[in-house]
Amino acid sequence: MSRSLKITRQALWKHIHSLKDDGYNIVAVPHLGYRLISSPDRLFPQEVACSLNTFVLGKDIKYFETVSTTMDVALRLGMEGSPEGTIVLAETQTKGRGRLGRHWVSPKYKGIYLSVILRPKISPSRASLLTLLSAISVCEAIKELTLLEPKIKWPNDIILNNRKLGGILTELNGETDQVKFVVIGLGLNVNNDNKSLLNTAISLKEAKQEEVSRVDLLQEILRRIELNYRLFQKGEQKEIIEKWRAFNSTLGRRVRITSQQGQIEGAAVAIDDDGGLLVRKDSGIIEKIMCGDVLHCR
Ligand code: BTN
């Protein structure tokens, strides 16, 4: 091994020990070298990049054991000119944030805490489609790898068995008519134990009764986001909305929506081409909602 790597035995030994410290289970095989028995489920860039099936997403990975929030790191990188597809990953966040100023609890090594930088040439009004597109991608990846059937509660909640599995936070930097870059944030409960979760939340481990590889899931999520983003860039938002409809759990329900404009209640009847939710109030008037907190009444 040391010969093919062109390093001394001593240097090789040091590398092996640092891998062991990172949680890799490696045994020495006399006269032969070392054997890798198992890898830890850590989101190390080398693990995520290995056999990652994307062209753009995840080509540049910033990884943190602990960070305040991956959103702030990605926003800063975006301003400094980091390319489209750069991702920021953390094993835990001390100030993870959700929509509407909420805190996102980010227990270490349990979830996926990801921010992705995208540079679409769009006006800010179309950015909410990116939230839908990301939510679809997460659901597709979960379905593919676990056979579970997650749903999307408009606009950004990933739901399983009527409990919250994850959420998307989209933040953008730009001018009134042109986005400079968008940061898509994803928080997903993967291997959280039941007792550490609120009773309104769920993890994939709880649903499957077994651990799920965060690396495999993350790779599939990135692949799906890239595919759906390509559709979006080709102007095929109809296809995105169609996919969203198939995963959504909001249409056809009575909803109460709280936003800065106040509260409205009615039937969620459709989603329009920009990803806005159309709500028919009891008066019969249809109102288009672009953001807000949605409660499914029945
Ligand atoms: C929500 O449901 O309100 C959205 C939650 C988004 C949480 C993720 S975790 C990774 C990224 N960093 C953050 O601080 N927030 C997003």
Side-chain angles (χ1 to χ4, degrees), residues 122-178:
I122 55 166
S123 67
S125 64
R126 298 196 61 229
S128 42
L129 274 171
L130 294 170
T131 306
L132 302 191
L133 170 165
S134 308
I136 297 163
S137 309
V138 173
C139 289
E140 287 177 337
I142 292 172
K143 196 171 169 184
E144 170 80 24
L145 290 191
T146 65
L147 303 177
L148 293 167
E149 303 255 356
K151 295 272 169 210
I152 304 168
K153 184 175 129 194
W154 186 91
N156 74 319
D157 284 346
I158 315 288
I159 303 289
L160 191 64
N161 304 343
N162 289 319
R163 291 193 274 158
K164 184 152 170 166
L165 181 65
I168 312 276
L169 177 68
T170 304
E171 295 184 344
L172 54 93
N173 178 294
E175 279 138 30
T176 24
D177 54 344
Q178 174 76 49

Side-chain angles (χ1 to χ4, degrees), residues 199-240:
N199 50 15
T200 51
I202 191 168
S203 68
L204 291 174
K205 180 179 169 185
E206 188 184 346
K208 283 288 292 177
Q209 292 296 302
E210 63 185 18
E211 300 241 332
V212 171
S213 157
R214 292 181 307 146
V215 172
D216 291 353
L217 183 58
L218 174 63
Q219 288 176 327
E220 188 60 16
I221 289 172
L222 294 173
R223 196 177 75 81
R224 297 285 180 157
I225 296 179
E226 183 164 298
L227 288 174
N228 288 317
Y229 182 54
R230 221 176 287 147
L231 282 180
F232 172 80
Q233 285 181 309
K234 284 200 281 176
E236 299 191 14
Q237 70 238 36
K238 288 244 158 18
E239 198 168 326
I240 292 169

Side-chain angles (χ1 to χ4, degrees), residues 54-65:
T54 60
F55 292 100
V56 181
L57 255 71
K59 291 295 140 186
D60 192 356
I61 303 175
K62 307 289 183 224
Y63 170 81
F64 299 86
E65 272 273 309

